[in-house]
Amino acid sequence: MKKNGLLKALQLVPRHLFLAILAVFWLIPIVWLVANSFNESQFMNFGRFFPENFSLTAYRLLLFDSESTVARFPVWFMNTLQIAIFTSIISSIFVLMVSYATSRMRFRGRRTLMSVGVILGLFPGFLAMIAVYFIMRSFGLTNNHWGLVIVYSGSSGLGYLIAKGFFDTISETLSESARIDGATESQVFRLIILPLSRPIIVYTVITAFLVPWMDFVFASIMLNSGIATDWTVAIGLFRMLQRELLATHFARFCAGGVLVSIPISILFVIMQKFYVESITSGSVKG
């Protein structure tokens, strides 16, 4: 028995060693970004991995330098936060409603609509960006944060599959008992299903929040006025990498990257239990 246990442990060594090497390579750019955010000099230096002198200057300039017309990080942060909050609320409502309808209701064309939704979700979103941009411009919603919220939320219902799988695991007898007692379909959804669906609600809110928080391509297309106070964090940080700004703004760019990651990291740490539970439960049934 001891020999078998030792043999199994030895067999795991190469696998764990390989995973450790991958983890090191994955952490190298993150450590480099964090280290350079504390660089006393503001320019990019490829000659050293760690800066020669550490300082909080980049964070101070990023957050409190009101004279800079380029670095408006607090404004960008609030713009992105507002867009992400409204998007997560609206998108979560759409996803949960579509998931409940496809899971519990039976109507003509249901399977066809589900298949079409899955197929449409396989196409890269950037294929429709130009068409969406001209549509939004015709309604005067470009260079407008509400326009971004509408676009981010508009197709969110197509991501119903995981939430539908979660709803499939909830016993149908609970809904039937409520209907026998006179509950409407809306009441069954609000009073019976949603209280039992906290994990999938958390998962849906987090994934919806991440879309505008990390998006650069579509945000840069929609917010093209050149006014710095309209930008999101992704656009603002990217503009700091222009050649004429690298000498004075690179450390601030690194500091901004660190600050942007903090809310998402906190959100995942707090919601990790529900996040994992929702994925495993939602994969039981299709």
Side-chain angles (χ1 to χ4, degrees):
M1 293 293 292
K2 290 183 178 180
K3 290 184 178 180
N4 291 336
L6 181 60
L7 182 61
K8 290 181 179 180
L10 290 175
Q11 290 175 347
L12 291 175
V13 170
R15 184 185 307 174
H16 287 206
L17 183 62
F18 176 70
L19 292 175
I21 294 173
L22 288 181
V24 170
F25 278 105
W26 180 77
L27 287 172
I28 284 176
I30 298 176
V31 174
W32 182 79
L33 180 76
V34 174
N36 278 275
S37 69
F38 293 99
N39 194 350
E40 186 176 28
S41 62
Q42 299 297 300
F43 62 89
M44 180 170 51
N45 183 8
F46 288 111
R48 302 174 60 91
F49 185 86
F50 292 102
E52 187 173 356
N53 297 310
F54 290 86
S55 171
L56 293 173
T57 303
Y59 289 93
R60 179 180 59 79
L61 293 175
L62 187 70
L63 296 173
F64 305 110
D65 184 14
S66 59
E67 296 181 0
S68 175
T69 58
V70 179
R72 299 290 183 86
F73 185 82
V75 177
W76 303 338
F77 190 92
M78 291 306 300
N79 290 343
T80 312
L81 184 63
Q82 292 171 5
I83 294 171
I85 289 174
F86 282 106
T87 299
S88 64
I89 294 173
I90 298 172
S91 297
S92 298
I93 294 172
F94 286 172
V95 170
L96 294 174
M97 291 173 63
V98 172
S99 302
Y100 178 78
T102 54
S103 174
R104 295 306 175 94
M105 298 180 181
R106 298 296 180 266
F107 50 88
R108 182 178 298 180
R110 169 178 167 272
R111 290 190 175 275
T112 302
L113 287 175
M114 290 171 58
S115 300
V116 170
V118 173
I119 292 172
L120 290 176
L122 297 176
F123 286 92
F126 65 82
L127 293 177
M129 282 185 180
I130 301 302
V132 171
Y133 169 76
F134 282 110
I135 293 173
M136 300 302 288
R137 192 177 72 170
S138 65
F139 286 97
L141 290 173
T142 56
N143 297 307
N144 187 307
H145 295 158
W146 284 110
L148 281 175
V149 173
I150 292 172
V151 174
Y152 289 140
S153 306
S155 62
S156 58
L158 296 177
Y160 71 91
L161 204 57
I162 293 179
K164 175 192 176 296
F166 186 92
F167 289 149
D168 287 342
T169 64
I170 300 176
S171 176
E172 180 67 26
T173 57
L174 295 174
S175 302
E176 292 175 353
S177 300
R179 293 190 188 97
I180 292 173
D181 291 336
T184 64
E185 202 66 48
S186 174
Q187 290 173 327
V188 171
F189 176 62
R190 291 185 293 105
L191 303 178
I192 304 297
I193 301 300
L194 288 184
L196 298 174
S197 306
R198 186 166 57 174
I200 198 62
I201 293 174
V202 170
Y203 167 81
T204 305
V205 169
I206 291 177
T207 52
F209 187 90
L210 287 176
V211 172
W213 193 263
M214 298 189 302
D215 177 58
F216 164 74
V217 177
F218 191 73
S220 63
I221 293 175
M222 290 285 290
L223 305 176
N224 57 9
S225 65
I227 302 175
T229 53
D230 289 342
W231 296 344
T232 61
V233 165
I235 300 174
L237 293 180
F238 178 78
R239 296 301 175 94
M240 289 186 186
L241 296 179
Q242 295 179 10
R243 181 176 299 179
E244 61 270 18
L245 297 177
L246 279 178
T248 56
H249 287 75
F250 182 74
R252 274 184 263 188
F253 164 80
C254 295
V258 173
L259 294 178
V260 166
S261 67
I262 291 176
I264 298 299
S265 302
I266 295 174
L267 194 61
F268 268 101
V269 169
I270 296 174
M271 304 297 188
Q272 184 179 16
K273 175 185 175 182
F274 302 111
Y275 188 85
V276 174
E277 184 179 346
S278 64
I279 294 177
T280 55
S281 299
S283 62
V284 174
K285 294 183 181 181

